Amino acid sequence: MIPGPFSYHRPASLADAVKLLADLGDDARPLAGGHSLVPMMKLRLATPAHLVDLHDVADLKGIRHYGSTIVIGAMTTQHELLVSGEIRQSLPILQEAAALIADPQVRYRGTIGGNVANGDPGNDMPALMMVLGANFRLSGPGGEREVAASEFYQGAYFTALEPGEILTSISIPVPPAGHGYAYEKLKRKVGDYATAAAAVVLTMAGGKVATCAIGLTNLHETPLLATDAANAVIGTSLDAATLKQAAAAAEAIMAPAADTRGPVEYRKHVGGIMVMRALQRAAGRAV
Amino acid sequence: MNDMTPTREQRTAALEGMGCKRKRVEDIRFTQGKGNYVDDVKLPGMLHGDFVRSPHAHARVKAIKADEALKVPGVLAVITAETLKTVNLAWMPTLAGDVQMVLADGKVLFQNQEVAFVVATDRYAADDGINKVEVEYEPLPPLIDPFKAMDHNAPVLREDLADKTTGAHGPRKHHNHIFEWTVGDKDLTDAAFRKAEVTIKEMISYHRTHPSPLETCQCVCSFDKVKGELTIWGTFQAPHVIRTVVSLIAKLPEQKIHVIAPDIGGGFGNKVGAYPGYICAAVASIVTGKPVKWVEDRIENLTATSFARDYHMTTEVAATKEGKVTGLRVHVLADHGAFDACADPSKWPAGFFNIVTGSYDFPTAHLVVDGVYTNKAPGGVAYRCSFRVTEAAYCIERAMDILAQKLGMDPAELRLKNFIKPEQFPYHSALGWEYDSGDYHTAMRKMMETTDYAALRKEQASRRAAFKRGETREIMGLGVSFFTEIVGAGPSKNCDILGIAMFDSCEIRMHPTGAGIARMGTKSQGQGHETTWAQIIATEIGIPADNIQVEEGNTDTAPYGLGTYGSRSTPVAGAAIAMAARKIKAKAQMIAAYKLEVHEDDLEFDIDGFRVKGLPEKFMSMKDICWAAYNSVPPGMEPGLEAVSYYDPPNMTYPFGAYLCVMDIDVDTGVYKVRRFYALDDCGTRINPMIIEGQVHGGLTEAFAIAMGQEIRYDDTGNVVTGSFMDFFMPTAVETPHWETDFTVTPSPHHPIGAKGVGESPNVGGVPAFSNAVNDAFSFLGSTHIQMPHDFWRNWKAAKNLGAVA
């Protein structure tokens, strides 16, 4: 539990950070909240020779509203999401999920950027990003580009980030007023990753589901968008048979690993239960 | 007398003696971060040691190459078994009569076993060095399942014992067999089963878990070459025993060894034994001439220092159709891992597991325990319980529920029918113990009345009906547990550790101003001894508890004692404290008689001093007596006021309690909710009710953790899969249920103040309450026994196996 030697850098601007990462190459890792990277370093599963701490880069902070889009700086902490009036108003599902991430100490330090960019299948925010149709702004030696959350995740810890690139901000289209939402997360205890979790954002019209997106956390090596499951509920009033159908459609794309949270069979089963419960709770909230 | 004269109540309250909810005096420093723990010990020139550990569960060590490690800046030495052999310390004795490798000698026998010890100028350099030590392993087939340990083709684990047909506890039946321990009357028990109208039989497993104290095991060893003295600061629950062990194995004179246990951040049995880290740090200090610190990390603590439990108990009960028990037969397969490092008194290879007849009047019983080796970490220790008592309590409390289910009786009614009756105490159990006192029926009935047990059963019946009608997916369980502990090890007739009788001690020295210092052979790890020990003295001699400083843990100053574990402090040291205080009081009485010019028989003790019988105004306070002890003692009497007592208890004490757990389980996810938990404890005389309540809360939280998910689990190749707090269930305040506590008081008849000890009761009684609740919830679906731990996925699996989930 003692990390190996490394050099510590603390650039003051985004340009300096990108240049440092480009110059230092594969031996360098950007450091945000550190809640994934630092434990890996303490176990010496990660041994970066250089850490580029992003905490002094002011451009990476803050929550702003541009027209129908919310832009969240990558270094915004989970705690800042939880206390933001803007987020409460426009993206309440982020607060529901952030409150389920670890404990207050972790949330004071852990960032949304680190959570979505690390590619850890256990992280909660990536599935929400997919459900909300978020775009990630990336900055690197070749300039800036945008990648949709749904295109970002390639495998466990493998993402669309190119060497030297960092995530700078996340743009999320504001869902329509009156939308329903829910994040259902089954975990063993505070601080644990999800055994299974489902994120739902939907709208209702005349007692029937008008639009729906369903995301799944920790049920595959990447976060999943359960499109078939979402399609199965559109136009229905979420009767018991439809819910079961949606759960089955979601389970069909799950491929979780067996771990101490339970065998594959259990994790898929409760994944389906989380989908059903999230749908019901989201529908109950929609107006 | 004027209005300012304090009343008797005020004088008693001013003492803050026994029965007072005195605030814990140690918390002033603990809550301000001002405690002094082992890792706070920083000495000039201090070095740091850390271990190279085995990635394999079973492998031959072909070579250890340290050249590259020694090139790492700051690395000074790499110690291996070959180094230790030069000082004859490659192996060390265990408390259970076995021997244990300090560093891998030819092979490794469990994952994370200590292979080499790297000594460096700082902690980082030591870890850098570890990563440069090259160890060549030849993997061997691992033995993980204890049920396969004695197969004829099972791999030979302990080559050092290959030709030994006898171990420390008698004959060995197989190369992986450690001991067989038999208690009770086999013929009589077999006859009871032949005649029985009803029998049950179930293999009840108590899985492997770990005490996991907040502070891990650690030490600082400092050898003074000039004086030839070794000072060890360590996380020791029994510092004097450590001093004796070090003296015996390191061949150092015992007066040249100074063992200091400073503040300790929890022990729960994990800090009783001796670990390779202590030996290696001591050897490293002797070799380098500098102080050496060793601090375990969390993964090392969970995977290498002593585990607890891992008992597999095939249990049979014989009974009449009316539910009267007539016989008990238990066979235990005990998995000790690679070395038998069980922390038990010498003659007790399975601890006091023969308390397994519990609170019930079994006319006959027979017990066999077989200990075996496997490729797992060595142990096992008494994790917040007296030696193997939680295993015994779990065994009998599950068995009684299974019997009740078979008979169609209510489990509480079955217990009431079979309890040892108040008039039967002192009670001689079929497996050899003499229970000192108890009133089980009163405790059980109080539990049932307070919780409205009958109404809960009615609610359960209606909810079961609703479940069957498909109206709910939740099932409800009631977990009844009635336990009898056996603590206070122990009487010299029963108990010793390495030949030292398990007495305990207290020395009290009163100062002229009416203050004093008291030292004991025990060692608090959070139990609050500084608070409660002073309360006993306060009541016994009439000096305010605030004026008594309590000091433990320094072997140079404290009288010899066997330490703190197994709820022995109050039954043994608590008695020594009262006896030492009574010696002080006796001398004080003589001084008071001299000063008041009466015969000492004419004096009576009155709260905080002595009063002449019949002349209430002739009074001398203890404070004034202390002063007189230093300037005007009777002719011929030595000045001063101090006393020491070594107390060899005449018997164990037998605390008991009645617990009820009300639990709801969602069959679709296996998620449980503890709706209510009621714990009635009878620990005899209560010294500090607030500390008792705190102890009960802590023990119940551990019991909750163990029953509901906490385990040390290995995969088939011997990898620990629960080696961190991510996977080893350590509940936070969020998961922890609300606890309701209650009590009855049945004093111990043989203890000077009637106290029995309480720290471990809630762990012992709590585990069966939780497990019985889960089992009770599922019983109407047709199950008789579901093994612990009852975590979410296993609950779901149980529901699925019973057809409750599609």
Side-chain angles (χ1 to χ4, degrees):
Chain A
M1 295 294 275
I2 303 287
F6 59 88
S7 302
Y8 177 80
H9 308 268
R10 200 174 170 106
S13 72
L14 181 57
D16 287 351
V18 169
K19 184 169 188 313
L20 262 174
L21 287 166
D23 292 349
L24 297 169
D26 284 350
D27 284 345
R29 290 286 301 271
L31 178 71
H35 279 93
S36 297
L37 181 58
V38 173
M40 301 265 277
M41 289 172 64
K42 289 170 84 171
L43 293 167
R44 299 201 182 207
L45 294 172
T47 52
H50 301 274
L51 283 186
V52 179
D53 189 336
L54 302 176
H55 278 90
D56 279 355
V57 182
D59 292 351
L60 299 177
K61 300 282 279 184
I63 298 164
R64 296 172 198 87
H65 203 144
Y66 297 108
S68 61
T69 304
I70 301 270
V71 178
I72 304 172
M75 289 296 285
T76 305
T77 65
Q78 310 291 355
H79 173 75
E80 286 163 347
L81 290 178
L82 282 168
V83 296
S84 160
E86 190 66 67
I87 298 294
R88 185 176 312 115
Q89 182 75 30
S90 306
L91 294 165
I93 191 170
L94 291 192
Q95 293 196 338
E96 182 163 306
L100 295 170
I101 294 173
D103 52 58
Q105 283 170 298
V106 171
R107 297 196 289 262
Y108 284 128
R109 188 83 189 159
T111 64
I112 188 166
N115 194 294
V116 304
N118 196 39
D120 185 332
N123 286 349
D124 293 292
M125 288 295 177
L128 272 73
M129 296 301 126
M130 294 172 100
V131 162
L132 292 165
N135 282 297
F136 298 155
R137 179 161 287 266
L138 313 180
S139 198
E144 294 211 319
R145 64 184 181 121
E146 283 219 345
V147 176
S150 55
E151 307 285 321
F152 185 74
Y153 298 98
Q154 300 169 346
Y157 304 102
F158 283 95
T159 66
L161 276 172
E162 295 291 341
E165 266 188 330
I166 54 177
L167 172 77
T168 58
S169 67
I170 299 162
S171 307
I172 304 174
V174 177
H179 75 280
Y181 64 91
Y183 189 57
E184 281 285 338
K185 179 179 181 181
L186 177 65
K187 57 180 178 175
R188 296 171 297 183
K189 60 173 277 193
V190 164
D192 195 13
Y193 291 116
T195 301
V200 167
V201 173
L202 51 68
T203 55
M204 302 288 284
K208 295 201 183 321
V209 178
T211 64
C212 178
I214 302 173
L216 305 172
T217 296
N218 218 14
L219 290 162
H220 195 275
E221 60 172 347
T222 64
L224 295 174
L225 209 46
T227 314
D228 289 349
N231 288 340
V233 301
I234 290 172
T236 75
S237 54
L238 293 174
D239 54 285
T242 303
L243 287 171
K244 278 195 173 158
Q245 208 185 327
E251 284 179 48
I253 59 167
M254 296 174 194
D259 63 13
T260 49
R261 293 172 187 84
V264 170
E265 169 191 40
Y266 172 69
R267 296 188 62 186
K268 287 174 72 168
H269 174 83
V270 290
I273 301 278
M274 293 302 108
V275 167
M276 293 197 282
R277 291 182 182 175
L279 282 167
Q280 282 175 297
R281 209 152 55 77
R285 272 176 171 155
V287 287
Chain B
M1 287 199 189
N2 61 41
D3 291 340
M4 298 301 285
T5 307
T7 63
R8 291 179 59 80
E9 289 72 23
Q10 285 168 332
R11 284 162 59 207
T12 303
L15 297 179
E16 295 195 274
M18 285 192 277
C20 172
K21 295 182 181 179
R22 186 181 183 221
K23 284 191 178 169
R24 285 165 43 110
V25 294
E26 43 274 86
D27 287 353
I28 294 165
R29 64 178 191 277
F30 292 158
T31 54
Q32 296 182 60
K34 301 291 185 193
N36 181 45
Y37 297 90
V38 173
D39 205 16
D40 293 319
V41 175
K42 295 181 174 76
L43 303 176
M46 187 171 76
L47 305 177
H48 298 259
D50 204 350
F51 284 109
V52 175
R53 293 179 180 274
S54 168
H56 301 284
H58 194 195
R60 206 162 293 290
V61 177
K62 308 288 280 185
I64 302 174
K65 295 186 192 119
D67 315 17
E68 291 303 310
L70 288 166
K71 289 181 194 159
V72 172
V75 172
L76 300 178
V78 177
I79 294 172
T80 65
E82 297 309 313
T83 325
L84 295 178
K85 280 178 186 173
T86 63
V87 284
N88 203 24
L89 283 173
W91 292 68
M92 62 178 181
T94 72
L95 294 176
D98 197 358
V99 288
Q100 176 177 352
M101 289 179 202
V102 175
L103 290 170
D105 185 11
K107 68 194 278 199
V108 288
L109 288 163
F110 64 96
Q111 189 183 50
N112 280 1
Q113 184 178 340
E114 300 82 359
V115 174
F117 190 67
V118 175
V119 185
T121 48
D122 66 65
R123 190 84 169 80
Y124 290 86
D127 227 63
D128 292 344
I130 284 169
N131 284 279
K132 294 288 183 187
V133 175
E134 291 170 42
V135 185
E136 194 186 322
Y137 296 100
E138 176 194 317
L140 297 169
L143 171 62
I144 305 306
D145 181 353
F147 287 92
K148 293 179 180 158
M150 292 202 282
D151 285 358
H152 75 278
N153 59 351
V156 177
L157 304 195
R158 292 288 300 276
E159 288 166 355
D160 59 306
L161 303 176
D163 48 5
K164 293 200 172 137
T165 52
T166 303
H169 305 285
R172 298 172 67 223
K173 294 186 275 201
H174 181 276
H175 55 257
N176 293 326
H177 186 238
I178 309 171
F179 64 85
E180 179 189 284
W181 189 58
T182 305
V183 191
D185 190 321
K186 183 174 189 306
D187 295 341
L188 209 57
T189 306
D190 287 349
F193 275 86
R194 278 194 302 274
K195 281 185 279 181
E197 293 169 347
V198 179
T199 62
I200 60 123
K201 180 175 184 178
E202 193 68 53
M203 207 291 285
I204 299 167
S205 272
Y206 196 146
H207 58 285
R208 178 177 282 233
T209 182
H210 193 281
S212 49
L214 180 59
E215 176 202 38
T216 60
C217 297
Q218 37 201 272
C219 69
V220 176
C221 295
S222 181
F223 185 69
D224 183 325
K225 280 191 171 172
V226 176
K227 292 186 188 163
E229 294 188 5
L230 178 64
T231 306
I232 307 174
W233 290 262
T235 47
F236 304 134
Q237 293 184 227
H240 285 98
V241 176
I242 293 285
R243 187 183 71 189
T244 302
V245 169
V246 172
S247 174
L248 291 173
I249 67 176
K251 308 279 188 284
L252 278 171
E254 200 165 355
Q255 83 279 10
K256 300 251 182 194
I257 304 166
H258 314 287
V259 176
I260 300 162
D263 285 330
I264 296 185
F268 313 111
N270 185 232
K271 294 170 179 169
V272 174
Y275 294 121
Y278 307 155
I279 308 282
C280 289
V283 170
S285 181
I286 292 168
V287 169
T288 61
K290 300 213 167 138
V292 177
K293 178 182 274 187
W294 168 68
V295 175
E296 235 183 7
D297 70 26
R298 180 62 58 192
I299 293 172
E300 292 175 300
N301 180 256
L302 282 173
T303 59
T305 46
S306 277
F307 76 92
R309 327 300 193 224
D310 219 342
Y311 259 35
H312 308 280
M313 309 171 288
T314 303
T315 310
E316 296 170 85
V317 180
T320 65
K321 279 184 297 202
E322 291 73 35
K324 190 90 185 107
V325 295
T326 55
L328 176 69
R329 192 155 58 192
V330 182
H331 177 269
V332 180
L333 182 67
D335 183 344
H336 286 271
F339 308 96
D340 186 2
C342 201
D344 287 331
S346 305
K347 299 180 200 79
W348 302 87
F352 305 150
F353 188 84
N354 55 329
I355 193 74
V356 70
T357 52
S359 315
Y360 314 105
D361 188 12
F362 277 95
T364 179
H366 188 242
L367 165 68
V368 179
V369 183
D370 277 305
V372 295
Y373 293 119
T374 58
N375 289 118
K376 301 181 195 170
V381 293
Y383 168 10
R384 205 182 183 130
C385 68
S386 195
F387 313 102
R388 300 296 184 182
V389 173
T390 184
E391 290 91 333
Y394 181 63
C395 176
I396 189 63
E397 287 306 290
R398 272 304 299 135
M400 291 303 276
D401 262 29
I402 293 166
L403 178 63
Q405 190 181 349
K406 181 147 188 182
L407 291 164
M409 275 180 79
D410 181 273
E413 288 303 321
L414 178 72
R415 284 169 171 80
L416 282 164
K417 190 164 201 155
N418 287 289
F419 279 151
I420 300 159
K421 296 180 182 69
E423 62 272 20
Q424 287 177 279
F425 290 93
Y427 172 81
H428 293 265
S429 79
L431 292 176
W433 292 113
E434 183 189 310
Y435 293 29
D436 61 347
S437 63
D439 183 354
Y440 299 164
H441 295 81
T442 299
M444 188 72 164
R445 291 200 177 105
K446 188 171 182 185
M447 178 277 275
M448 293 170 75
E449 281 158 26
T450 312
T451 60
D452 201 351
Y453 179 78
L456 287 165
R457 282 289 177 205
K458 271 189 200 144
E459 182 194 343
Q460 184 188 41
S462 73
R463 291 184 50 155
R464 283 175 168 179
F467 183 89
K468 290 199 160 165
R469 290 193 302 268
E471 293 164 11
T472 174
R473 299 293 290 158
E474 268 192 358
I475 55 177
M476 173 181 170
L478 295 181
V480 177
S481 162
F482 196 100
F483 65 94
T484 294
E485 261 254 78
I486 170 170
V487 303
S492 56
K493 66 186 178 204
N494 302 121
C495 301
D496 71 272
I497 284 186
L498 301 171
I500 301 162
M502 292 183 73
F503 58 83
D504 225 291
S505 60
C506 172
E507 177 200 276
I508 303 172
R509 187 177 300 171
M510 298 307 298
H511 308 321
T513 57
I517 183 165
R519 297 185 171 106
M520 298 81 185
T522 45
K523 177 61 207 169
S524 181
Q525 307 121 41
Q527 290 90 339
H529 290 177
E530 286 167 54
T531 307
T532 50
W533 289 165
Q535 289 182 258
I536 297 175
I537 297 169
T539 295
E540 288 288 340
I541 69 171
I543 290 287
D546 275 350
N547 292 7
I548 305 292
Q549 183 190 343
V550 170
E551 191 184 278
E552 298 175 310
N554 185 332
T555 55
D556 284 351
T557 53
Y560 204 105
L562 275 282
T564 294
Y565 42 86
S567 279
R568 66 184 300 280
S569 296
T570 294
V572 192
I577 293 162
M579 299 309 271
R582 287 171 193 182
K583 289 182 186 176
I584 296 271
K585 196 162 139 186
K587 183 169 179 181
Q589 186 166 358
M590 288 192 268
I591 296 169
Y594 175 68
K595 297 292 284 184
L596 293 167
E597 299 178 326
V598 294
H599 190 276
E600 55 180 277
D601 290 348
D602 294 331
L603 292 176
E604 61 187 358
F605 189 71
D606 181 26
I607 300 171
D608 51 8
F610 283 97
R611 190 181 300 286
V612 178
K613 291 174 191 165
L615 291 170
E617 69 284 1
K618 289 201 77 174
F619 177 83
M620 190 171 185
S621 71
M622 277 302 294
K623 187 170 190 288
D624 292 343
I625 296 170
C626 288
W627 186 258
Y630 288 88
N631 59 33
S632 47
V633 293
M637 179 187 276
E638 290 179 8
L641 191 56
E642 60 181 78
V644 60
S645 171
Y646 282 76
Y647 187 80
D648 179 6
N651 191 5
M652 306 282 187
T653 61
Y654 297 77
F656 58 92
Y659 291 1
L660 182 73
C661 173
V662 186
M663 192 186 291
D664 298 306
I665 302 171
D666 169 3
V667 294
D668 288 323
T669 57
V671 174
Y672 54 80
K673 277 200 288 286
V674 177
R675 196 200 307 175
R676 190 170 180 190
F677 197 101
Y678 170 91
L680 179 151
D681 274 280
D682 191 322
C683 60
T685 303
R686 293 155 58 84
I687 300 166
N688 182 327
M690 184 194 70
I691 284 189
I692 291 172
E693 194 177 359
Q695 288 269 32
V696 173
H697 285 194
L700 288 176
T701 304
E702 287 178 326
F704 165 69
I706 294 167
M708 305 313 290
Q710 186 179 87
E711 62 174 328
I712 295 292
R713 184 144 65 98
Y714 290 80
D715 67 15
D716 293 344
T717 56
N719 298 307
V720 186
V721 296
T722 53
S724 80
F725 281 170
M726 177 65 82
D727 293 310
F728 181 84
F729 180 49
M730 182 60 75
T732 71
V734 174
E735 290 80 39
T736 302
H738 175 75
W739 310 119
E740 290 172 60
T741 59
D742 203 346
F743 62 97
T744 55
V745 177
T746 312
S748 168
H750 62 78
H751 188 279
I753 59 171
K756 289 187 168 186
V758 75
E760 306 179 328
S761 294
N763 195 322
V764 170
V767 171
F770 288 109
S771 184
N772 280 346
V774 173
N775 275 286
D776 185 62
F778 282 109
S779 62
F780 80 113
L781 298 170
S783 87
T784 48
H785 178 69
I786 300 162
Q787 303 288 14
M788 289 194 292
H790 305 292
D791 48 5
F792 297 160
W793 76 264
R794 288 180 174 99
N795 289 342
W796 173 81
K797 189 85 189 156
K800 191 172 165 65
N801 291 344
L802 294 165
V805 179

